[in-house]
Amino acid sequence: MLALCRPPGSYLPQPYQEEPGGPDEADELRTDASNVASHLAEHDLRHGTSRTDEIPPPLRDGCTEAERDAVRAYARREWRAREERHGVAD
């Protein structure tokens, strides 16, 4: 959840090719979070399990930062919807 809430920053290109020394840790975490969020969006599209019904398309190679931000925002909305259902809202 922390990674989904990170402030705007950089993403690694998709597909990512490992480089000597590796990426900046913050960029790697942000990229990993958007990839996980993309899998959630893809799952919800396929199985109709969204609680918020505003599912962005899953990420594809060459995706934009806006597309990555959209899947991360979707994952945050879904998280909040599930938390509210279980009485754990802020």
Side-chain angles (χ1 to χ4, degrees):
M1 184 63 187
L2 174 65
L4 292 174
C5 294
R6 287 188 66 85
S10 299
Y11 290 108
L12 302 175
Q14 189 169 331
Y16 174 68
Q17 301 274 332
E18 188 66 42
E19 296 179 6
D24 178 84
E25 223 173 87
D27 293 349
E28 185 173 25
L29 180 62
R30 185 173 170 81
T31 299
D32 288 346
S34 67
N35 288 340
V36 169
S38 177
H39 290 301
L40 171 68
E42 187 170 21
H43 176 273
D44 286 352
L45 276 169
R46 186 177 302 130
H47 299 285
T49 52
S50 174
R51 295 184 189 275
T52 60
D53 296 327
E54 299 173 24
I55 309 171
L59 300 176
R60 300 288 177 238
D61 289 349
C63 60
T64 66
E65 287 199 20
E67 290 167 324
R68 287 185 178 274
D69 290 341
V71 294
R72 289 174 64 244
Y74 172 72
R76 285 192 301 272
R77 288 192 307 272
E78 287 293 305
W79 177 273
R80 287 185 191 117
R82 282 171 171 77
E83 290 295 299
E84 289 172 0
R85 179 173 178 234
H86 292 92
V88 188
D90 292 335

